[in-house]
């Protein structure tokens, strides 16, 4: 069977499970209505996550600034999603060494 793949993306959000079920800013989160499951809070930027004291967050988890995405050629990357191929998830990029 053929390997199913998706194009690379230039923007993405970073999720954090809020085990205390406390949501701090309704503008930056998607909220479940059930209290017995962990809440997922989505962040658009490193600044939002650090302002909310998200543990273990690092700036490299977030997309680059828009002025840098074109030079990075993220559109040439490939995403292999586990649900598409009945596998684990992968991120594939061709890297060229420049001396």
């Amino acid at each position: 069977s053929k390997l199913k793949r998706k194009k690379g993306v230039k923007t993405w959000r970073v999720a954090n499970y809020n085990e205390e079920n406390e949501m701090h800013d309704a503008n930056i989160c998607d909220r479940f209505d059930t209290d017995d499951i962990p809440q997922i809070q989505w962040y658009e930027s490193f600044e939002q996550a650090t302002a909310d004291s998200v543990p273990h967050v690092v700036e490299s988890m977030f997309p680059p600034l828009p002025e840098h995405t074109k030079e990075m050629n993220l559109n040439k990357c490939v995403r292999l999603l586990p649900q598409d191929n009945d596998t684990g998830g992968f991120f594939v990029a061709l890297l060229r060494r420049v001396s």
Side-chain angles (χ1 to χ4, degrees):
S1 80
K2 189 174 180 180
L3 184 65
K4 296 177 185 174
R5 60 184 186 256
K6 305 227 187 270
K7 288 186 172 193
V9 295
K10 297 178 185 177
T11 62
W12 56 87
R13 301 180 303 166
V14 175
N16 181 51
Y17 284 98
N18 188 337
E19 295 179 9
E20 290 87 31
N21 292 334
E22 295 175 8
M23 302 313 255
H24 302 290
D25 187 343
N27 294 327
I28 59 171
C29 67
D30 292 339
R31 185 178 178 136
F32 294 121
D33 291 330
T34 310
D35 289 335
D36 59 345
I37 59 174
Q39 303 290 320
I40 298 176
Q41 189 159 358
W42 293 95
Y43 293 93
E44 304 286 338
S45 71
F46 177 67
E47 292 76 21
Q48 288 176 334
T50 54
D52 222 9
S53 301
V54 175
H56 311 297
V57 67
V58 292
E59 194 165 4
S60 61
M61 296 167 80
F62 294 87
L65 297 172
E67 56 267 19
H68 299 298
T69 56
K70 184 173 180 162
E71 66 191 38
M72 296 177 77
N73 292 315
L74 294 175
N75 59 320
K76 294 183 179 181
C77 296
V78 176
R79 294 176 298 138
L80 306 173
L81 303 177
Q83 64 269 25
D84 291 344
N85 297 293
D86 196 23
T87 64
F90 298 91
F91 175 84
V92 179
L94 177 63
L95 304 176
R96 184 182 342 177
R97 185 178 188 167
V98 193
S99 35

